[in-house]
Amino acid sequence: MRRLEGKVAVVTGGGGGIGSAVANRIVREGGKVVIADLFEDSARAAAGPLGEAALAVQFDASDPVSIEAMVTAAVDHFGGIDILHNNAAMTDPAKHPLDTTPVDIPIEIWDEIIDINLRGYLLGCKYAIPHMIARGGGSIINTASNSGIAGDLARVAYGASKGGIITLSKYVATQYGKQNIRCNSISPGVVLTPALEATVPGLKEVIQRHILTPEFGTPDDIAALIAFLASDESRYITGENISISGGGLSHQPHYADLLAMMEQQLS
Ligand SMILES: NC(=O)c1ccc[n+]([C@@H]2O[C@H](COP(=O)([O-])OP(=O)(O)OC[C@H]3O[C@@H](n4cnc5c(N)ncnc54)[C@H](O)[C@@H]3O)[C@@H](O)[C@H]2O)c1
């Protein structure tokens, strides 16, 4: 399918597991893509195989000036912007364990996570929307998480940032819909990226009990959803949050325990 022929996309965090799969898919669908990441090396590694259809840009989602420069780079290089996939998130392994509970979280960790994950998405919208309007419209897809829909025992800042992304997306959809800008959020559950598999050993076994599908989701599954939401095939979908998590939040929390108990009784 070449549903994105002639379209220009910006993917933030494009050097990472999901972002690089999305960039790849956009180019396979006929689009051009700016792969923007904090780490220039990973942005370049993702852009290299895509040739002239991709441009690697270094940027920092915590820095408003650098976000504006990223959007300007897309417009200067490819002539405009039609698709924005806000996907970057704070990924510093030294800081993740500090994102705990309201009582224990250091306030500077809260601020840093909210700045990168939520304010960074707002700023992407702020600078991209005028260019989209100039082109007659566009599609913005913001990556939230199931952690923004349901609570968890840790990561209060991450969860709050993702919940904020879901609401931000509805506001953008409401305020710019008549200018032909659609905005949706997606909420992945666990998606097996190399980074995740390396940092959380044993994760697969635990999550397997809680998803409804036989297989785990991969970055390519996310990329397929992003390509659909970026394309005109989804022209009547805006302001929605779409969970993509193997049904991870579609059942009651005791499902896994109940299933294990029934299997034990039958054996
Ligand atoms: N993998 C999952 O299971 C999962 C589940 C739910 C939501 N998500 C969300 O999906 C998105 C992509 O996650 P991923 O699994 O591919 O992670 P990843 O760590 O592989 O990729 C994230 C990318 O963001 C970049 N980044 C980090 N801080 C940045 C900054 N300040 N400025 C610019 N770029 C920065 C990183 O360098 C990295 O390339 C994130 O928003 C994440 O919260 C992932």
Side-chain angles (χ1 to χ4, degrees), residues 11-16 35-43 57-63 66 70 88-92 95 112 116:
V11 179
T12 74
I35 298 178
D37 205 283
L38 182 62
F39 299 108
E40 197 168 354
D41 286 358
S42 29
V57 169
Q58 193 281 333
F59 95 112
D60 181 352
S62 70
D63 174 17
S66 123
M70 167 190 78
M90 208 280 280
T91 48
D92 186 340
K95 291 177 179 163
E112 192 176 342
I116 294 172

Side-chain angles (χ1 to χ4, degrees), residues 16-18 37-39 59-61 87 89 91 143 158 162 188-189 191 196:
I18 292 174
D37 205 283
L38 182 62
F39 299 108
F59 95 112
D60 181 352
N87 163 80
T91 48
T143 295
Y158 179 79
K162 294 301 190 179
V191 178
L196 196 62

Side-chain angles (χ1 to χ4, degrees), residues 33 66 68 129 152 171 190 251:
V33 66
S66 123
E68 186 172 18
I129 286 170
D152 214 335
Y171 272 78
V190 169
H251 56 79

